[in-house]
Amino acid sequence: MPTDQPSDLLAWLFPALLAFLCAHVTLECRARLAESLRSADADRWQWLAGAALAFGSGVWSLHINGLMTLPLAFNVHYQTLLLLAAWLLGVALAAAGIWASVAVRVPALAWGLGALLLTLALVGAESLALRAAASEPALAWPLADLATVAGAVGVIALLALALGSWRPAQPGLHTAARLAASLLLAAGLWRGGAQLLNALPLELLAASGSQQGLALSSLGLLARLGTLILLLMTLVVARREAILRASLVQARGDVERESLTDPLTRLPNRQAFELRLKDLGLASERDGSGLALMFIDLDGFKPINESFGHQSGDWLLNTVGQRLSTAAQPGEFVARWGADQFLLLLPGVRAREPLAARARTLLKTIAQPMEVLGRELPVQASVGVAIFPDDGAAALMVSHADAATHAAKAAGGGTFCFFEPHMLHDSREQMELLRDLRRAIEDQELELYFQPKIHAPSGQITGAEALIRWNHPSKGLISPGAFIPVAERFGLIGAIGDWVIDRACRQVHEWREGGLRMRVAINLSVHQLRQDDLAERIGAALQRYEVNPTLLTCEITESVAMENNASSKAFFDKLEQVGVHISIDDFGTGYSSLSYLRQLPAEELKIDAAFVKDLEFSNDARTVVDAVVKLGQALGLKVVAEGVETDIQRDILRQLGCNELQGFLFAKPMAANRLFLWAMSDDGPAHIDFRQSLFGDTQIPDDLDGPVPAR
Ligand code: C2E
Ligand code: MG
Ligand code: MG
């Protein structure tokens, strides 16, 4: 008998293609369903319907196609309603199976239940379709055949569902797994369906076949073509949706990553840190291990940014970020909190000693020399440490560590502090202070007080030190110790410093107008010294009020004055050119280099009050003061002692050869007009006279850039 090749091929290829499409579309829609369940999207029902329709229709169509390819000598007729019911049964059972395979929590149970229901969908739809094709007596498969086929299809469906649920990280492997799952299920449906048809007692079908209803021959085209189109369309939709979703997931991932990264340093940002802190806090709570947080705040970053430019500032922040990342040990987490603030989370640490050691190394790491535009940048940080759970809830760690950083800054910076509860109160107060300080200059709440300096041998007033005060509207008079560090920390010192220079010069001018020729000393902050044009500003103020530069002294604390670098040297040279005097304040607290001290164009050393205080009882203090006086004399510097409170201190200081004295014993700092009245009426806090030379006129030299006036 000649074989009809094309029709054989079609008989083989078509059901294979149909089975593959049916399996593939079902599993694709199932994958989309699983995704929409995970992301709680509303399109889950659409994907469930797609999967169920694909499976039910595919199985149904496979059955009809199978029957059509059988060598039947008669035309099978279907009862339309029953045939529709077979399709519906397939779709419904497939829906239940697909849903169970993704919604049941235990994977093995989900796949088992899914595979069982899908097998039932296949067998049930086939059986009902067969029933639709035959009238009397009812046709049925031999039970053994049915059980074998159902068993095999069930196992294959289980494997296909498991494989289709696998989501390996590599995209290639994922595609391969999905394809393998589709092929497996397709093979199961194709071979299972074919085996069921082969097991049919065809002679019974012929004998009992009804001649009424829908003829198989006319149904064929609809079943084959319709199902194929349905499957292809669903496949296209499912694939497009998958591509869309993948790019959406990618975009969402990118946005999320970016939103958690600091754009400048590429370190995790504040938000990322908060997420990590939450996780690590919970973990630490569970296992009882500690969690430490270091809040790292750069000292004096703002002046660097201002004087070196923002690009250099950015570069510095970046370098510090890199140094911290390199210093972080495995498991630790570094983030940038804001401007010049960084955070380091250390899980599993609770003891203070290792943390202290770590903070010390960190400070050293940060403070390694950094060069910008050929100049060495001073980098230094203050570190605050908070420990969970000892210092309170994990959510409060940042504010606690921040408060500890403030304490470290208040201690002079370049150091670390562990959190203590009282610091919280301090830092809140500081914030309020800062808020008020911002408008204090405009609202004219700042005032200069003046404390007389006494010529030690004669006991006469020779000049005064200007000391800033803040008349706070509700808190009253605030001393500089409470707000100057805040002003320095938050970049207000430049404006305040300028105000002091201006007021001091104006005061000298006003006193002179009144007949009092008073020398005044002002205090300069380290942050002011970083302004390149500070000397020019001072010169301009002197000129503005026509004040002789020799009447102004700039007090600079020892540690700052001794910063032996090019910029401070240039500043001192410029000050010298302007003609003002330089005094080294709080002398004895820093580490002066004798050779550098010799080079400094200073006129005065002010012995720190701490030595004066101990003078009566401590031989060491006396030795220090003695040495400073001798040093001053050797270098041709005037020596001033500050903080003199008792007659005994005064006598010792006189005996040791101090040139000038300053302290509450003689007079407390006072308002300018009080000092003036005292000078003019000789009615002061103590029986002290003003030097006669203080009365009379002074004149500004014609040329400020000219030679330094004689002193
Ligand atoms: P300083 O320059 O060493 O000033 C001396 C401080 O000792 C002043 O405190 C003064 O009131 C105080 N004092 C004077 N005699 C005695 C005494 O007999 N006993 C005691 N216990 N204290 C005495 P004040 O006015 O609170 O200033 C503290 C510091 O604030 C100053 O130390 C100075 O470093 C800084 N400061 C004051 N005014 C300014 C300013 O205008 N600008 C800047 N940048 N800093 C300022
Ligand atoms: Mg001073
Ligand atoms: Mg001092």
Side-chain angles (χ1 to χ4, degrees), residues 465 523 555 585 606:
E465 178 178 8
N523 290 280
E555 294 193 4
D585 205 352
K606 282 186 92 173

Side-chain angles (χ1 to χ4, degrees), residues 585-586 608 642:
D585 205 352
D586 306 333
D608 192 67
E642 60 183 344

